[in-house]
Amino acid sequence: MLDIAWPELIVIGAVALVAIGPKDLPKAMYNLGKWAGKARAFAHEIHRTFEQISYEAEVADKLKKTEPAAEKDVPHPNVPPKPSSHEEKDSP
């Protein structure tokens, strides 16, 4: 993922030990872990959001493709049926 080998990790640890100090290093590592966990959760949430948007767009696209065929076959339930031509003549 990050392509950090063991020798590089040891050098980073040694520099952190010298720069931060042995007393504050556990606190720094704890805070780094918390930050990494929050970043991972944020990335997961973004991924879920994009998946949801993609799914909704796919469903909307399928509905658009099937809607014209459905309109020809079945009338919309909220629209009253059109009277036939001979019924219009009979009505006052």
Side-chain angles (χ1 to χ4, degrees):
M1 188 163 99
L2 292 175
D3 276 347
I4 297 177
W6 282 106
E8 295 165 341
L9 193 59
I10 292 172
V11 170
I12 291 171
V15 169
L17 184 63
V18 171
I20 297 173
K23 182 179 170 186
D24 295 328
L25 189 60
K27 292 177 192 174
M29 295 299 289
Y30 176 76
N31 288 331
L32 181 66
K34 279 178 44 177
W35 180 83
K38 288 180 182 181
R40 180 177 283 180
F42 181 68
H44 180 70
E45 184 66 29
I46 289 174
H47 184 264
R48 280 187 34 216
T49 302
F50 280 125
E51 288 291 324
Q52 181 69 25
I53 290 170
S54 172
Y55 175 75
E56 290 174 0
E58 184 178 323
V59 169
D61 189 40
K62 286 182 181 180
L63 282 175
K64 285 180 184 177
K65 288 180 181 178
T66 59
E67 210 170 65
E71 287 177 0
K72 293 177 186 174
D73 297 338
V74 180
H76 195 274
N78 295 334
V79 177
K82 293 181 182 178
S84 62
S85 61
H86 67 279
E87 289 177 2
E88 290 176 5
K89 293 177 184 176
D90 294 338
S91 60

